[in-house]
Amino acid sequence: MAADTPQNQTSQFPNGGGHTGELIRSFDWSKTPLGPISSWPESLKTVTNMLLQSPVPIVLLWGEDGIMIYNDAYSGFAGSRHPQLLGSKVREGWAEIADFNDNVMRVGLSGRTLAYENQELTLIRHGKPAPVWMNLDYSPVMDESGKPAGVIAIVVETTKQVLAQRQLRESEERFRALTSATSDIIYQFSADWKEMRALDGRGLLSDTERPTINWQETYLLPEDRPAVLAKVEEAIRTKSVFQLEHRVRQADGGLGWMLSRAVPIMDEKGEIVEWFGAATDTTERRQYEEHLRLVVHELNHRVKNNLAMTQAIAAQTFRGDIDLKEAQNRFASRMVALGQANDLLTGERWVGASLGGAIEQAIKPHAPDDGRCTVEGDEDVKLSPKTALALTLAMHELATNALKYGAWSNGEGRVDVRWSTGNDAEGKRRLRIEWRESGGPDVRPPARRGFGSVLIERGLAREMGGTVTMEYLPTGLVCTVEAPENLYAER
């Protein structure tokens, strides 16, 4: 393009403006509706000088055709269309949005303004159409007569911000969907874990809808806090995942167990800004593991007792002058009875039992066959499997002790088991079971309470919902069970 004339004017106007300013000075404006720069009105020159000094993308649309004059910042926005846009008609320069710019010119030249926030337009800037988001502000520019002669536009592209916000919203929606789909407890902490910002307790823990610094008092037991905080400090120091299974105070006031796992969220500098975590309720699993541990302990105890009982039964069966064949048959019969009692203990073949049947089945392998045992009651009671198992374990333990140390450990002692039912003072059904030993060795209270005593007194009392009392009388052990019959009986 040829340089405008006269030369002294092009060298003085416009003032500065960087690369785009040089293009404006060297552009042949005589081939445009604006005419040579020497003929431009002062209003046009003033606005041109102003926009060239601005760091913000600005474009001037002059005249009815909207001839384009812009600055360096806008040339970056124009992309590959620069410098061809300079001096072109806006409707032709941006042909893909001609209707949009036609409205801009109509409104601007009528003296009104327009403003758009995050306006989406499809533009061809780098060889192919692409969506673009912009903040656009349009204002009329007056000539010397005070009439609108052009429109000035401030163009700020917000494409990156819009896409980032959209990506953030999509990420948040996916996160919300994930948290809605899972039954895990979801929580959020500050970078230093001093503030719990939110917690969705899923009904298991109390929700924390507002940030709180008292989360330790709310959820943790005092004796557990040092271990939890030590794990937190390690995760913060190493900027790694926090993971720990620990006890918690539940929303209903009870205690439970949670497997908690939290990940740090980093900023651009690699510094932790917050933590997001999830916690799984492991209370049932922990209870099952504890139950399994007790079962294994009980199994070990049973195996040892069975070996001891087998030895005691053998000693009793083959003691003194006996008919060997008869003794062998009696011993075999007792071994079968012992095996049947074990079937009852494990519940492998039993779904329910009567009170009398459970007692007889439990003590039969241990009781001598010379009439030194009585089992009787005023009426039979149907037991649930769980209650019958607890009672059988207790009777099994009492019979074992009687055979090893009590009334059945000599040839004279006996055991009488009796039960009765009736109403208490409030008219509620009650059951009383009494195990009474007599004629055995002298009885002294044990120096310490073994597993068997605990099983009888605590386990049986808990399962039957009553009380169990063990009296070590000089004449023999007396074990008394008193319980509300309707808690376990199936009438």
Side-chain angles (χ1 to χ4, degrees):
M1 298 181 182
D4 198 0
T5 57
Q7 182 65 33
N8 62 336
Q9 289 183 346
T10 59
S11 63
Q12 296 175 359
F13 176 83
N15 298 319
H19 177 67
T20 307
E22 294 179 2
L23 291 176
I24 293 174
R25 285 190 289 272
S26 62
F27 191 82
D28 187 0
W29 293 98
S30 63
K31 295 182 178 180
T32 72
L34 298 185
I37 286 181
S38 59
S39 65
W40 286 10
E42 287 301 318
S43 55
L44 176 56
K45 291 182 179 181
T46 300
V47 175
T48 300
N49 274 328
M50 181 272 298
L51 68 87
L52 286 175
Q53 307 306 316
S54 175
V56 178
I58 297 179
V59 58
L60 175 64
L61 313 175
W62 194 262
E64 293 290 338
D65 295 322
I67 304 302
M68 301 179 68
I69 303 173
Y70 49 83
N71 58 10
D72 277 348
Y74 186 88
S75 69
F77 166 78
S80 61
R81 288 192 169 187
H82 173 73
Q84 286 77 17
L85 284 180
L86 190 64
S88 68
K89 300 176 181 179
V90 66
R91 297 175 182 84
E92 297 174 356
W94 296 104
E96 62 271 32
I97 54 170
D99 292 340
F100 180 84
N101 282 321
D102 188 60
N103 179 65
V104 167
M105 295 305 301
R106 183 169 56 253
V107 172
L109 292 179
S110 68
R112 292 175 292 163
T113 60
L114 285 172
Y116 299 93
E117 183 176 359
N118 293 328
Q119 174 66 39
E120 181 180 1
L121 296 171
T122 300
L123 302 179
I124 302 174
R125 297 187 298 170
H126 304 287
K128 59 181 181 180
V132 178
W133 286 264
M134 294 171 288
N135 290 341
L136 303 169
D137 289 283
Y138 297 97
S139 300
V141 178
M142 308 302 177
D143 61 11
E144 283 74 7
S145 66
K147 295 181 179 180
V151 179
I152 192 168
I154 300 175
V155 180
V156 178
E157 184 174 359
T158 60
T159 302
K160 290 183 178 180
Q161 295 92 316
V162 169
L163 293 179
Q165 291 173 359
R166 178 177 296 179
Q167 186 177 14
L168 178 60
R169 284 195 301 270
E170 292 174 352
S171 177
E172 290 175 345
E173 289 174 0
R174 288 194 296 269
F175 179 73
R176 283 193 294 269
L178 175 62
T179 56
S180 299
T182 182
S183 59
D184 284 350
I185 292 166
I186 304 299
Y187 60 85
Q188 182 180 359
F189 270 101
S190 62
D192 57 6
W193 281 70
K194 294 187 181 301
E195 179 184 77
M196 177 180 279
R197 294 177 173 173
L199 183 142
D200 184 351
R202 307 295 188 183
L204 294 173
L205 302 184
S206 301
D207 290 345
T208 299
E209 298 178 354
R210 296 180 179 178
T212 177
I213 61 174
N214 296 323
W215 60 273
Q216 296 181 42
E217 292 78 3
T218 302
Y219 301 105
L220 300 181
L221 276 69
E223 59 268 32
D224 293 348
R225 293 174 196 170
V228 175
L229 295 180
K231 203 69 176 179
V232 167
E233 291 173 0
E234 179 185 357
I236 294 175
R237 177 174 53 81
T238 60
K239 298 182 180 180
S240 59
V241 174
F242 164 84
Q243 181 168 313
L244 183 66
E245 187 171 13
H246 58 86
R247 294 186 298 174
V248 292
R249 287 194 176 100
Q250 297 177 327
D252 60 4
L255 290 179
W257 284 85
M258 290 287 168
L259 176 59
S260 180
R261 180 180 172 88
V263 296
I265 307 301
M266 311 284 193
D267 60 14
E268 297 82 359
K269 299 179 181 179
E271 297 298 325
I272 300 174
V273 294
E274 60 184 339
W275 294 79
F276 278 99
T280 303
D281 182 15
T282 59
T283 305
E284 186 174 349
R285 176 179 63 78
R286 296 284 300 211
Q287 291 174 343
Y288 174 77
E289 290 175 351
E290 177 64 16
H291 173 71
L292 184 61
R293 187 187 67 80
L294 291 175
V295 168
V296 171
H297 182 79
E298 172 64 15
L299 179 60
N300 291 334
H301 184 66
R302 290 295 135 215
V303 169
K304 293 177 182 178
N305 266 357
N306 280 343
L307 292 174
M309 281 187 292
T310 301
Q311 184 179 20
I313 291 171
Q316 186 184 59
T317 304
F318 295 103
R319 183 172 54 196
D321 296 331
I322 57 171
D323 184 312
L324 183 58
K325 184 174 182 179
E326 181 182 351
Q328 287 175 339
N329 291 336
R330 188 163 61 248
F331 180 76
S333 176
R334 286 176 172 172
M335 290 298 99
V336 171
L338 179 61
Q340 292 173 344
N342 281 330
D343 286 342
L344 187 60
L345 291 175
T346 59
E348 293 178 352
R349 302 179 183 176
W350 175 76
V351 293
S354 68
L355 174 61
I359 294 174
E360 290 182 350
Q361 185 78 347
I363 67 178
K364 184 178 179 180
H366 322 299
D369 53 4
D370 54 4
R372 291 190 288 137
C373 179
T374 301
V375 178
E376 59 184 9
D378 55 4
E379 66 174 295
D380 205 358
V381 176
K382 184 70 173 178
L383 302 176
S384 68
K386 187 176 181 181
T387 303
L389 178 58
L391 181 62
T392 302
L393 286 170
M395 290 296 161
H396 176 77
E397 191 67 34
L398 288 169
T400 301
N401 291 336
L403 183 63
K404 291 163 49 176
Y405 316 112
W408 290 334
S409 65
N410 61 18
E412 299 176 0
R414 64 176 294 106
V415 174
D416 296 299
V417 185
R418 291 184 174 86
W419 71 87
S420 61
T421 59
N423 296 333
D424 61 14
E426 297 179 355
K428 297 180 180 179
R429 296 283 294 177
R430 302 288 296 182
L431 171 67
R432 177 186 172 90
I433 305 172
E434 183 183 86
W435 170 289
R436 180 177 292 274
E437 298 183 25
S438 60
D442 291 340
V443 174
R444 294 181 181 179
R448 64 180 184 87
R449 308 185 71 76
F451 180 79
S453 298
V454 174
L455 175 67
I456 295 171
E457 292 185 86
R458 297 183 184 176
L460 184 58
R462 182 178 61 251
E463 294 299 337
M464 299 190 74
T467 60
V468 177
T469 305
M470 297 184 68
E471 299 176 88
Y472 297 92
L473 304 178
T475 55
L477 173 67
V478 177
C479 178
T480 305
V481 180
E482 292 190 358
E485 184 184 353
N486 60 354
L487 286 178
Y488 58 86
E490 298 176 357
R491 308 299 295 176

